[in-house]
Amino acid sequence: MGFSCGIVGLPNVGKSTLFNAITKSSVDASNYPFCTIDPNLGIVPVPDERLAVLAKVCESKKVVPTTVEFIDIAGLVKGASKGEGLGNKFLSHIRQVDAIVQVVRVFEDPNITREAPVDPLSDIDIIHTELIICDLDTVQKRFAAIEKAARAGTDKEAKARVEILERVKAHLESGRLMNQFAHTEEEFKQVLRDLQLLTIKPMLIVANIGEGDIGQHEKSPHWPKLASFCAEHGFELIPLSAKMESEVSELSKSDEAGAREYLAAAGLTEPGLNRLVVAGYRLLKLLTFFTSGETETRAWTVKAGALAPQAAGVIHSDFEKGFIKAEIVSYDDLSGLGSYAKVREAGKLRIEGKSYVVKDGDVCHFRFNV
């Protein structure tokens, strides 16, 4: 799997409509608050044109893309932590995700049920506040348990953990997200990793714009402040129309060519899923490498900077343990020359050892001891 995303937002901002579009699902996206109660899960293939090219070159019998998992949870409202709306218990469903996608509404539509005027910055403030309160509750519970152990002297490392948690608690109480918290790798391993805090996760913001605003979203009266906020706080901002994406997704089920024409007519070259996935890879510092042969061509995801044995371990843990070497050819060389034989003739096939840093587009064959 490539990575997983939790989708959060206020009721009726287009969250479930977006989920349906990118996963080609049909969950309820009705025009009333809290139509989503149970979490919705969708796993979608990562679009990558290189797979088809490699499969053709290697005459592969099967093509296997890497995937992204999306989890759509119930809408949050102000005061959810105090039981307003459906409460915030649904946040537990996204503790395991790699990143959080916040969906905010930028378009105006009098037919959509909403208690307050359209205000994306207010939406973000409510989301962040509820996430922070949820994290603060987690930290306070852990703090109480560890402080007790520190006083009793039963845990020699408890005092150091208490000090870290005091800093975390103060940070959250100041209204700041944990992804803005300065910490060492040791502190992460010692305390933060096990807490599974929501606000420590990388975040993207999706601005749900109207169909008529595609390509002109910057003219929206809400856009300047939203864009400025995201730039100031380091959030990548992705404008897309959930309604149009849903229509394209539905059309593509029966007419791929028609869906492409629909996108082109709107001035777009690709669906929003593609942009969302690319942004997610960039946010999480991920890259794609391939294995390709007659049996199958498959895409794999690994952290940027991963060494060859670590990439091999993504395929199977035994590959990493028994790693000997990796035969590497770049996608550009293999697709350009047209076969492994020509790659070898051109001297483009490299033998790399344990210190090799895998690059995006590498086509790898790992050799290992069982």
Side-chain angles (χ1 to χ4, degrees):
M1 181 174 290
F3 62 98
S4 58
C5 283
I7 303 177
V8 301
L10 273 61
N12 293 350
V13 297
K15 189 168 53 65
S16 293
T17 300
L18 176 64
F19 175 84
N20 284 343
I22 59 183
T23 62
K24 297 188 177 181
S25 302
S26 53
V27 303
D28 195 358
S30 303
N31 180 26
Y32 59 85
F34 315 121
C35 68
T36 301
I37 296 179
D38 295 324
N40 299 307
L41 172 65
I43 298 176
V44 299
V46 172
D48 196 324
E49 295 177 350
R50 296 174 295 184
L51 278 167
V53 175
L54 289 174
K56 185 177 180 180
V57 167
C58 297
E59 299 181 349
S60 304
K61 296 182 178 67
K62 185 168 66 170
V63 176
V64 185
T66 188
T67 58
V68 180
E69 180 181 85
F70 291 96
I71 301 173
D72 174 34
I73 65 168
L76 290 171
V77 298
K78 188 174 183 179
S81 56
K82 299 175 182 177
E84 293 295 324
L86 295 175
N88 66 1
K89 64 180 181 179
F90 300 98
L91 290 173
S92 63
H93 295 300
I94 58 170
R95 287 203 180 278
Q96 302 293 334
V97 301
D98 299 310
I100 291 176
V101 175
Q102 301 178 47
V103 181
V104 296
R105 180 179 158 191
V106 178
F107 68 94
E108 302 280 352
D109 187 339
N111 297 315
I112 291 182
T113 304
R114 185 181 171 96
E115 294 181 358
V118 173
D119 186 346
L121 288 186
S122 176
D123 286 6
I124 292 171
D125 182 60
I126 291 170
I127 293 168
H128 287 183
T129 297
E130 294 305 322
L131 292 176
I132 287 169
I133 291 172
C134 187
D135 278 351
L136 196 51
D137 182 57
T138 299
V139 170
Q140 287 171 333
K141 288 176 180 176
R142 183 65 60 88
F143 182 85
I146 294 180
E147 188 181 38
K148 184 177 180 180
R151 286 200 305 266
T154 56
D155 185 344
K156 294 180 180 178
E157 297 179 356
K159 185 178 179 181
R161 291 194 180 115
V162 165
E163 290 174 356
I164 297 170
L165 286 171
E166 284 176 337
R167 286 169 46 215
V168 170
K169 187 167 170 286
H171 183 88
L172 289 168
E173 287 175 339
S174 71
R176 289 176 291 172
L177 305 176
M178 280 300 295
N179 55 26
Q180 301 163 348
F181 179 75
H183 61 273
T184 66
E185 185 64 29
E186 184 58 32
E187 287 172 337
F188 180 78
K189 292 177 181 177
Q190 193 175 12
V191 174
L192 300 178
R193 179 171 55 192
D194 291 341
L195 288 173
Q196 295 183 324
L197 299 177
L198 296 169
T199 66
I200 204 168
K201 298 179 186 298
M203 298 182 185
L204 291 168
I205 293 179
V206 168
N208 187 9
I209 62 177
E211 287 182 282
D213 296 326
I214 295 171
Q216 304 181 63
H217 54 273
E218 293 181 1
K219 296 179 182 178
S220 163
H222 305 291
W223 192 262
K225 288 184 179 180
L226 178 59
S228 176
F229 173 87
C230 290
E232 180 184 351
H233 293 87
F235 294 113
E236 182 159 357
L237 178 60
I238 304 172
L240 56 80
S241 168
K243 184 178 180 183
M244 194 210 74
E245 294 292 338
S246 181
E247 291 167 352
V248 170
S249 176
E250 191 62 33
L251 181 59
S252 69
K253 293 177 182 179
S254 58
D255 185 1
E256 280 285 353
R260 288 193 295 271
E261 289 176 9
Y262 191 171
L263 280 170
L268 300 174
T269 58
E270 60 183 1
L273 169 64
N274 296 31
R275 285 181 284 142
L276 194 54
V277 168
V278 168
Y281 268 70
R282 188 162 52 240
L283 178 71
L284 295 169
K285 297 180 175 60
L286 303 175
L287 58 80
T288 301
F289 71 93
F290 304 97
T291 53
S292 189
E294 290 184 11
T295 302
E296 70 173 24
T297 290
R298 183 184 290 253
W300 305 89
T301 302
V302 71
K303 278 278 188 183
L307 301 179
Q310 294 171 318
V314 171
I315 300 173
H316 197 289
S317 58
D318 288 347
F319 287 20
E320 181 174 5
K321 293 174 185 175
F323 180 88
I324 300 173
K325 61 182 179 180
E327 296 177 3
I328 308 285
V329 59
S330 73
Y331 165 80
D332 288 341
D333 287 337
L334 184 53
S335 61
L337 292 170
S339 71
Y340 277 114
K342 290 181 179 178
V343 164
R344 290 189 182 91
E345 289 174 11
K348 297 291 185 178
L349 182 68
R350 310 187 309 277
I351 306 299
E352 302 288 357
K354 294 181 178 180
S355 62
Y356 176 72
V357 178
V358 174
K359 298 178 177 61
D360 188 72
D362 277 350
V363 184
C364 308
H365 179 70
F366 299 107
R367 299 201 177 277
F368 63 98
N369 283 321
V370 179

